[in-house]
Amino acid sequence: MAHIICGIDLGAFSVKLAFLEVGFRTTTLRGFMETAVPAGDAPLAERQAEAVREGFSQAREATPYLAVPGDQLSVRLLQLPFTDARKIDQVVGYELEGQIVNALEDVVFDHLVVGQTAEGSSVLAVAAKRDDIAALIAVNEAKGTHPRALYAAPVVYRTLLPRSAVTEDEEASPSPPRVRVILDIGHARTNVCVVREGETLYARTILRGGAQLTQAIAKAFDADLDRAEQAKRSDATLLPAGTPAQTPLAAKLDAVLRQALEPLVRELRQTLGSFRGATRTEADELLVTGGTGRLRGLLPFLEAELGLPARFLAIRPALAARSSSSDPDDAGAVDVPNATSDESESHALAAAIALAASRGSKEIDFRRGPFVYRASFSVLRQRAWHIAGLAAAILLAVSVDVGAKLSSLGDEKKQLDKQLKVATQELFGQPRDDAPEVAQLLKKGFREDLAPLPKATAYDLLDQLSRRAPPADHVKLDILELDIRPKKTFIKGTVDSGAAVDEMAAKFKDIECFEEITKGAITEVSGGGKQFTLNITSRCP
């Protein structure tokens, strides 16, 4: 199910919001919003949170993402002599501790691996004070905004310049990837982010921006700040070198702006020099964005001062490229070479935050450790209808599946009952369909009706009879008939006296299988012998 992501840029003059709808394979831009930070004596963070609440209230189903301002961060580029990810995780804290002012237990830090070679890894580590992170989360949650993540503002611009796909021609004749410097000039601060192939190589925040230009105009013309801001937006122009001013006002404004921009230009030169010294890499071009980036004549001025070709960074093409690509890392270029100053939008940071949230890749995020994000029940209440609909759909699908399986089991039961009746008809002479009863009958039949293993066979009984018969030198015995059957034995013969019959019957009683011996009538036969019969009841065979 698609969901809305909201990237929020906490500016000093206004709060900018970018909305993206993220689906299974597509990401769609839903629009931008800008809310002025209210004036007053309250701390800036509280007034920014109020502006966020006002703007975010119009998109209740969106998930908010914020970025920590760069002036609250310590950004360091670390060179480590190995590439193993686990080792990097273990040593980043120790390496960072020696390069920042605060103790490690007082900060929250995260890192990105921005380059790897056979010699080791380049790691961009960023730290923020725990108190600053706690205060930022608390002031926004007090206004009802629960940020899902807290990115590092000057680092997250890398999402606007994703890794470009390599063509077959580029593989045949590879060229060094371009190094681009994103310059986001805001009202109170300027973010600098150096990007190569979708990775941030260097980042810094300079505490100068459009506010200093407004103050310079107000001082030079003895005007209030509102009038000076209006003049900066409508009348101020930086004249190209060698171009004469048309009016004295234009000449004075040009001189005032150039003087006010000198500290910023000086800081930018130092930043580019520090980048060259740390990475031994030259920047190729300058991409300008931000509200102050709309100042007319700014691009030629920066080109002349910094010695880099400058153009405007168009945000909407970047989002369109990302929206049309199923793979975020395959998006094309995001800047337009012939862009005008009107295309230098002020929503670059908000868009970068939203893109970072939408693609789900590894980013610098300070919602970790004690500040890890925990879902709010208010979000569940906001999406109650969607959750209820999803639950109903799942229940319906389960019901259909169970019904189909029960129907299949019913058909199988009918077939088994039919087979049982056929089998019991052959076994018992009549059909039966009660499976438990049939099972009991089978157990009983095997236990009682079927012949058990006999204790003695007919041969064993014959052997025992012969052993217990009177010896020939004592009694003359002649067996006329011997019939050994299950449960009974019949003996007919002649002996020389009736007492011999009694003696023989007594000895046969010692045979274990014999239970009862019944003597028949004793009759005279020729030669003085006695004919007898014995009927023996036995337990075996």
Side-chain angles (χ1 to χ4, degrees):
M1 183 177 67
H3 63 285
I4 305 296
I5 283 175
C6 178
I8 304 174
D9 173 12
L10 299 174
F13 184 78
S14 64
V15 169
K16 277 75 70 176
L17 301 92
F19 296 93
L20 295 180
E21 182 177 342
V22 180
F24 178 65
R25 295 184 61 86
T26 60
T27 300
T28 306
L29 172 64
R30 287 305 181 193
F32 296 116
M33 184 183 298
E34 185 171 2
T35 305
V37 175
D41 298 330
L44 176 61
E46 293 185 10
R47 291 184 283 120
Q48 288 174 326
E50 179 61 30
V52 171
R53 185 199 62 78
E54 181 180 347
F56 196 67
S57 63
Q58 303 180 36
R60 297 179 179 177
E61 295 185 359
T63 302
Y65 290 78
L66 298 179
V68 181
D71 54 295
Q72 297 181 5
L73 304 176
S74 296
V75 183
R76 299 291 185 272
L77 185 64
L78 308 177
Q79 301 296 335
L80 303 179
F82 41 78
T83 59
D84 185 79
R86 289 179 297 178
K87 290 183 178 179
I88 293 174
D89 291 339
Q90 293 170 357
V91 306
V92 162
Y94 298 103
E95 293 289 333
L96 190 62
E97 187 175 19
Q99 301 188 29
I100 60 177
V101 176
N102 303 102
L104 201 61
E105 59 269 16
D106 296 331
V107 300
V108 183
F109 65 91
D110 199 1
H111 70 277
L112 285 175
V113 178
V114 297
Q116 289 187 331
T117 63
E119 290 75 20
S121 304
S122 296
V123 178
L124 192 70
V126 186
K129 293 174 63 176
R130 287 176 177 262
D131 294 343
D132 292 342
I133 299 299
L136 181 60
I137 295 175
V139 72
N140 282 277
E141 289 187 343
K143 299 294 183 179
T145 303
H146 301 271
R148 177 66 179 81
L150 292 176
Y151 299 132
V155 177
V156 77
Y157 290 95
R158 74 191 188 102
T159 60
L160 297 174
L161 299 176
R163 186 184 300 274
S164 58
V166 179
T167 63
E168 294 182 359
D169 294 338
E170 291 174 337
E171 288 181 350
S173 57
S175 59
R178 305 183 72 185
V179 178
R180 299 173 177 179
V181 181
I182 297 178
L183 188 63
D184 187 356
I185 310 176
H187 183 70
R189 60 177 70 92
T190 296
N191 290 327
V192 183
C193 183
V194 184
V195 181
R196 179 178 62 190
E197 284 296 295
E199 296 293 348
T200 299
L201 302 181
Y202 200 83
R204 184 192 175 193
T205 295
I206 302 171
L207 292 180
R208 295 194 67 87
Q212 282 71 32
L213 302 183
T214 302
Q215 293 168 4
I217 294 174
K219 182 178 180 180
F221 291 91
D222 194 20
D224 58 45
L225 292 178
D226 291 338
R227 180 68 184 90
E229 182 70 25
Q230 182 181 355
K232 182 184 70 174
R233 293 171 178 268
S234 59
D235 302 326
T237 301
L238 286 167
L239 300 176
T243 302
Q246 300 294 324
T247 64
L249 176 62
K252 186 174 182 179
L253 280 173
D254 176 69
V256 170
L257 291 175
R258 287 176 180 274
Q259 184 178 3
L261 285 170
E262 283 182 4
L264 176 60
V265 170
R266 185 169 56 251
E267 293 285 348
L268 290 174
R269 289 198 189 102
Q270 293 176 357
T271 300
L272 294 176
S274 177
F275 165 70
R276 284 193 298 269
T279 63
R280 298 180 181 179
T281 304
E282 293 286 344
D284 294 315
E285 63 180 340
L286 193 66
L287 303 179
V288 181
T289 184
T292 307
R294 297 190 179 103
L295 181 65
R296 288 190 294 273
L298 181 62
L299 291 191
F301 172 80
L302 292 175
E303 286 184 349
E305 295 292 334
L306 301 177
L308 288 175
R311 52 178 167 168
F312 291 108
L313 174 62
I315 306 305
R316 291 181 186 273
L319 295 171
R322 180 62 55 84
S323 301
S324 62
S325 174
S326 60
D327 185 354
D329 289 337
D330 290 339
V334 299
D335 54 308
V336 181
N338 298 320
T340 64
S341 61
D342 291 338
E343 291 175 299
S344 173
E345 304 177 48
S346 60
H347 293 79
L349 180 55
I353 295 170
L355 286 174
S358 67
R359 71 181 192 174
S361 60
K362 175 70 171 69
E363 300 290 342
I364 299 290
D365 186 2
F366 296 104
R367 294 226 68 165
R368 53 195 295 116
F371 306 111
V372 67
Y373 176 78
R374 293 178 176 83
S376 172
F377 288 106
S378 62
V379 177
L380 296 180
R381 288 194 294 269
Q382 292 171 5
R383 303 192 178 187
W385 287 108
H386 297 283
I387 295 174
L390 181 61
I394 294 174
L395 183 61
L396 178 61
V398 171
S399 300
V400 172
D401 182 62
V402 172
K405 289 182 177 179
L406 289 176
S407 177
S408 177
L409 289 175
D411 294 339
E412 291 183 14
K413 183 177 182 300
K414 291 179 181 178
Q415 292 294 329
L416 292 175
D417 287 343
K418 184 177 180 180
Q419 296 176 13
L420 181 62
K421 288 181 179 180
V422 172
T424 52
Q425 175 70 38
E426 296 176 356
L427 189 59
F428 301 115
Q430 60 180 356
R432 296 175 180 268
D433 57 4
D434 188 347
E437 183 179 351
V438 171
Q440 291 295 330
L441 289 173
L442 290 175
K443 290 180 181 179
K444 181 179 179 181
F446 281 114
R447 185 173 62 250
E448 299 179 2
D449 295 340
L450 297 181
L453 184 67
K455 293 182 178 181
T457 64
Y459 181 82
D460 295 330
L461 292 179
L462 178 61
D463 177 67
Q464 295 184 44
L465 288 172
S466 64
R467 291 176 183 276
R468 288 171 173 77
D473 58 353
H474 180 65
V475 175
K476 184 180 179 181
L477 174 63
D478 186 10
I479 300 298
L480 302 177
E481 183 178 350
L482 176 60
D483 187 8
I484 301 176
R485 293 177 179 273
K487 309 297 183 183
K488 66 179 181 177
T489 299
F490 175 77
I491 301 174
K492 181 179 180 182
T494 59
V495 292
D496 51 5
S497 66
V501 175
D502 295 334
E503 180 182 355
M504 186 169 50
K507 288 185 177 181
F508 287 168
K509 283 185 179 181
D510 294 337
I511 298 175
E512 182 180 359
C513 286
F514 290 170
E515 291 182 339
E516 183 179 355
I517 299 177
T518 304
K519 294 183 290 185
I522 299 175
T523 59
E524 290 280 345
V525 295
S526 60
K530 307 293 181 180
Q531 183 176 306
F532 69 93
T533 60
L534 295 176
N535 290 291
I536 305 172
T537 303
S538 66
R539 295 189 294 270
C540 48

